[in-house]
Amino acid sequence: MHQPTTFEVDGDAIREERTRAGLRRSELAELVGVTPRYIGQLETGTRLRMRRPPYFALRTALKASDERLRRKPPRPTEDPPTERT
């Protein structure tokens, strides 16, 4: 099965897990091997995707699951868009 090269992450979940772990952005960044600015961009949604190595390091540092950190796909609408003729 094909593994994605990037993962779309949920910035709110990252921030919540980081604060729950009692880590500052700089501390988490050091554990993950990225900059504090990068962590900030993830948390604010400026950056939505992560490459595999830092994503796995983030997941390990926060002791969080994929279900918690990955962005959920949008829910489909009940009414499909109508075509205009």
Side-chain angles (χ1 to χ4, degrees):
M1 190 165 140
H2 172 69
Q3 288 285 324
T5 57
T6 61
F7 296 91
E8 197 165 337
V9 295
D10 181 342
D12 291 334
I14 292 170
R15 184 177 50 256
E16 290 166 10
E17 292 299 322
R18 177 181 59 79
T19 55
R20 183 179 303 164
L23 296 170
R24 293 189 313 261
R25 283 183 181 173
S26 59
E27 294 169 323
L28 179 58
E30 187 173 330
L31 292 171
V32 175
V34 297
T35 65
R37 182 178 179 183
Y38 184 93
I39 297 295
Q41 290 172 339
L42 292 171
E43 290 182 352
T44 61
T46 304
R47 179 182 297 260
L48 297 175
R49 296 188 170 278
M50 295 183 75
R51 290 185 175 192
R52 291 180 71 182
Y55 172 75
F56 289 130
L58 176 76
R59 191 177 68 183
T60 300
L62 295 176
K63 299 179 177 91
S65 67
D66 283 329
E67 292 78 23
R68 177 70 176 129
L69 296 180
R70 290 184 63 185
R71 191 175 178 140
K72 314 300 185 274
R75 294 178 63 185
T77 59
E78 291 188 27
D79 296 324
T82 57
E83 291 185 31
R84 292 182 185 199
T85 56

